[in-house]
């Protein structure tokens, strides 16, 4: 099911499986066969994806297909755009690969509707190899229903037409990634990074559910149109239960543009021919910095006018309060007179003691409090005189 015109064409031109169509009954899943599962790391990655992650991933890839000798064989393109399907916001992924290998026209096209969590809502996958005596045409339609994924396949080889239908329960397909969603997943991985132990579910060439593992490749440089670019790689391996594992290696620029793609063991490579236009990312506006300036309010006519108005307002308010409380003048006059007479060193303590007597919270002293104060002398003078007279 992987989008690879090279493998389909090489198999057809080598004569392998070119005249023996696949048995549709062999693709039916066994009721007793245990379904593979995706890793928890991969499921967490899918759950973490949000709408903002796709902001800079809606663009088009254009590559050329070349042989191991450098001869151009065809073209490969991938486009991603937002759309609405049955009232649901999703992404339309369209991939197309066509060319000729050993003068045999071949190609693959994928049109898929994918949700934000990379769930495949619908996918149409078409592969063809136009052999002169026995052309091969394979069409696969994947549709997600309420409880099942339904896969309809029509394989036409010469005049022989075979049809098959398979159904997979949705609750058993957690972490399933189709070929359309896989193209979008690669862009997300370049942007968000590739976790360790990343294992999802996919279909092999016979529509059997199998494990698909992803791992990061070492960074390298690639020359595109005479310019050396640093690219990041992802390796995807489909572990088919009925055949050998199939591995693809894809490299991307820092913006997520596909720079090269090859199936391991195939002589056909897809390469970027021209440097794509860089994606313009929205930058957060820089917050303005205002330098602190001295406030000369006396020179500011508006501030100075407000100052004069406030000054007159306070004067009027204070004068009104003084008129309404004539006892205030008498109280202050007594305090000033008493202060100038005593001339204390600690004016604050003297004022606190003076005004404390006017407070209602202070306890009322006894009437003869002054006479109750103990004398600093142990005996009075009168008693001393009487003692002297007794001695004489």
């Amino acid at each position: 099911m992987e989008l690879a015109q090279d493998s389909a064409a090489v198999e057809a031109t080598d004569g392998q499986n070119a005249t023996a169509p696949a048995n549709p009954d062999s693709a039916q899943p066994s009721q007793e066969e245990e379904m593979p599962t995706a890793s928890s790391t991969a499921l967490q990655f899918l759950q973490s994806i949000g709408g903002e992650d796709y902001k800079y991933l809606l663009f088009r890839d254009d590559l050329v297909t070349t042989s191991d000798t450098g001869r151009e064989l065809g073209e490969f393109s991938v486009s991603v755009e937002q759309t609405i399907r049955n009232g649901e916001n999703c992404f339309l992924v369209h991939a197309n690969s066509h060319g000729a290998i050993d003068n045999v026209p071949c190609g693959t096209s994928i049109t898929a509707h994918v949700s934000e969590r990379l769930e495949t809502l619908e996918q149409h996958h078409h592969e063809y190899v136009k052999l002169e005596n026995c052309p091969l045409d394979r069409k696969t339609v994947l549709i997600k229903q309420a409880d099942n994924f339904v896969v309809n396949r029509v394989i036409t080889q010469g005049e022989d037409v075979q049809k098959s239908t398979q159904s997979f329960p949705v609750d058993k397909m957690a972490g399933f990634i189709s070929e359309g969603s896989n193209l979008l997943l690669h862009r997300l991985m370049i942007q968000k990074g590739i976790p360790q132990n990343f294992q999802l579910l996919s279909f092999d060439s016979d529509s059997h559910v199998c494990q698909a593992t992803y791992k990061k490749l070492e960074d390298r440089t690639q020359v595109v149109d005479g310019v050396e670019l640093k690219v990041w790689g992802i390796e995807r391996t489909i572990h088919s239960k009925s055949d050998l594992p199939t591995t693809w290696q894809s490299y991307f620029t820092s913006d997520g543009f596909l720079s090269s793609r090859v199936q391991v063991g195939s002589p056909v490579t897809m390469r970027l021919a021209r440097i794509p236009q860089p994606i313009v990312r929205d930058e957060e506006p820089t917050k303005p910095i205002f330098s602190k300036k001295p406030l000369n309010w006396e020179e500011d006519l508006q501030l100075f006018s407000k100052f004069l108005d406030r000054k007159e307002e306070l004067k009027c308010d204070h004068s009104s309060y003084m008129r309404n409380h004539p006892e205030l003048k008498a109280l202050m006059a007594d305090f000033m007179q008493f202060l100038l007479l005593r001339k204390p060193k600690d004016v604050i303590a003297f004022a606190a003691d003076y005004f404390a007597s006017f407070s209602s919270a202070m306890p009322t002293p006894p009437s003869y409090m002054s006479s109750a104060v103990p004398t600093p002398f142990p005996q009075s003078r009168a008693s001393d005189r009487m003692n002297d007279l007794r001695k004489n």
Side-chain angles (χ1 to χ4, degrees):
M1 295 288 287
E2 175 71 20
L3 181 64
Q5 72 168 22
D6 47 354
S7 61
V10 169
E11 290 179 0
T13 53
D14 287 345
Q16 299 176 359
N17 301 326
T19 59
N23 184 2
D25 295 333
S26 64
Q28 293 293 335
S30 174
Q31 297 297 331
E32 299 180 356
E33 183 180 357
E34 184 178 356
M35 295 278 288
T37 58
S39 63
S40 59
T41 304
L43 294 177
Q44 291 174 4
F45 180 90
L46 297 180
Q47 290 296 323
S48 68
I49 300 173
E52 286 296 319
D53 295 324
Y54 297 96
K55 187 175 182 179
Y56 303 108
L57 302 182
L58 307 180
F59 52 81
R60 178 185 173 90
D61 283 319
D62 288 290
L63 288 78
V64 295
T65 306
T66 59
S67 64
D68 53 356
T69 60
R71 186 167 62 91
E72 187 172 327
L73 303 176
E75 298 175 348
F76 174 76
S77 64
V78 179
S79 64
V80 180
E81 58 184 280
Q82 286 183 312
T83 186
I84 298 177
R85 178 185 178 274
N86 296 333
E88 180 180 355
N89 292 326
C90 60
F91 299 95
L92 175 62
V93 181
H94 180 69
N96 185 37
S97 173
H98 63 87
I101 299 178
D102 294 336
N103 297 322
V104 177
C106 57
T108 303
S109 67
I110 288 178
T111 302
H113 289 85
V114 181
S115 70
E116 288 185 354
R117 297 292 173 83
L118 297 182
E119 295 177 334
T120 303
L121 307 177
E122 182 177 353
Q123 176 178 279
H124 295 260
H125 189 179
H126 181 208
E127 300 172 281
Y128 69 90
V129 179
K130 295 184 178 181
L131 295 170
E132 184 177 355
N133 298 327
C134 188
L136 173 65
D137 188 277
R138 179 186 301 167
K139 295 179 181 178
T140 306
V141 178
L142 169 66
I143 299 178
K144 181 185 178 183
Q145 298 181 348
D147 300 322
N148 296 287
F149 282 101
V150 179
V151 180
N152 294 311
R153 302 181 71 196
V154 179
I155 302 176
T156 303
Q157 192 161 11
E159 298 181 355
D160 184 22
V161 178
Q162 296 188 16
K163 298 181 180 180
S164 63
T165 300
Q166 294 173 271
S167 180
F168 302 91
V170 172
D171 57 352
K172 300 290 186 180
M173 298 287 284
F176 168 71
I177 295 295
S178 66
E179 298 311 313
S181 56
N182 171 67
L183 297 171
L184 195 52
L185 174 62
H186 277 72
R187 296 185 181 184
L188 286 167
M189 284 181 165
I190 295 299
Q191 178 174 274
K192 298 171 66 71
I194 308 172
Q196 297 290 333
N197 189 28
F198 200 91
Q199 178 178 293
L200 294 169
L201 303 182
S202 186
F203 285 145
D204 61 11
S205 58
D206 294 325
S207 295
H208 292 154
V209 180
C210 57
Q211 295 176 347
T213 56
Y214 295 77
K215 70 176 184 179
K216 181 181 178 182
L217 298 174
E218 292 186 2
D219 303 343
R220 64 183 182 89
T221 57
Q222 179 179 338
V223 178
V224 179
D225 200 17
V227 179
E228 191 174 85
L229 300 177
K230 185 176 181 180
V231 292
W232 290 261
I234 300 174
E235 182 178 273
R236 183 197 190 203
T237 302
I238 302 294
H239 301 273
S240 176
K241 294 183 178 180
S242 59
D243 202 350
L244 295 175
T246 308
T247 301
W248 289 263
Q249 294 182 346
S250 304
Y251 283 87
F252 299 82
T253 66
S254 58
D255 287 336
F257 287 98
L258 183 62
S259 63
S260 68
R261 183 174 179 276
V262 63
Q263 179 180 342
V264 176
S266 171
V268 178
T269 304
M270 301 172 184
R271 296 182 179 275
L272 189 64
R274 299 181 183 85
I275 299 178
Q277 195 72 18
I279 298 176
V280 179
R281 298 178 180 267
D282 298 334
E283 296 182 359
E284 294 185 1
T286 305
K287 295 182 179 180
I289 300 176
F290 300 99
S291 58
K292 189 175 182 180
K293 297 181 180 180
L295 179 61
N296 298 323
W297 60 270
E298 294 180 350
E299 298 179 0
D300 191 310
L301 296 180
Q302 184 177 2
L303 292 178
F304 189 69
S305 176
K306 289 184 177 181
F307 165 76
L308 295 178
D309 293 342
R310 181 59 177 166
K311 182 179 179 180
E312 292 298 324
E313 181 182 352
L314 291 175
K315 280 185 177 181
C316 294
D317 182 66
H318 295 167
S319 299
S320 176
Y321 183 81
M322 295 289 288
R323 288 193 301 269
N324 295 331
H325 297 82
E327 68 276 11
L328 181 60
K329 287 186 177 182
L331 182 64
M332 296 302 298
D334 290 344
F335 171 72
M336 291 299 298
Q337 184 179 10
F338 195 44
L339 179 67
L340 294 175
L341 288 174
R342 294 294 182 91
K343 296 182 178 62
K345 292 183 178 179
D346 191 347
V347 177
I348 296 177
F350 179 81
D353 183 63
Y354 177 82
F355 287 105
S357 60
F358 296 95
S359 174
S360 59
M362 294 294 293
T364 304
S367 302
Y368 301 100
M369 184 177 180
S370 60
S371 61
V373 176
T375 176
F377 305 101
Q379 294 178 344
S380 65
R381 292 180 181 180
S383 60
D384 292 340
R385 181 63 175 164
M386 291 297 293
N387 290 332
D388 293 340
L389 291 173
R390 289 191 185 102
K391 290 179 182 180
N392 296 328

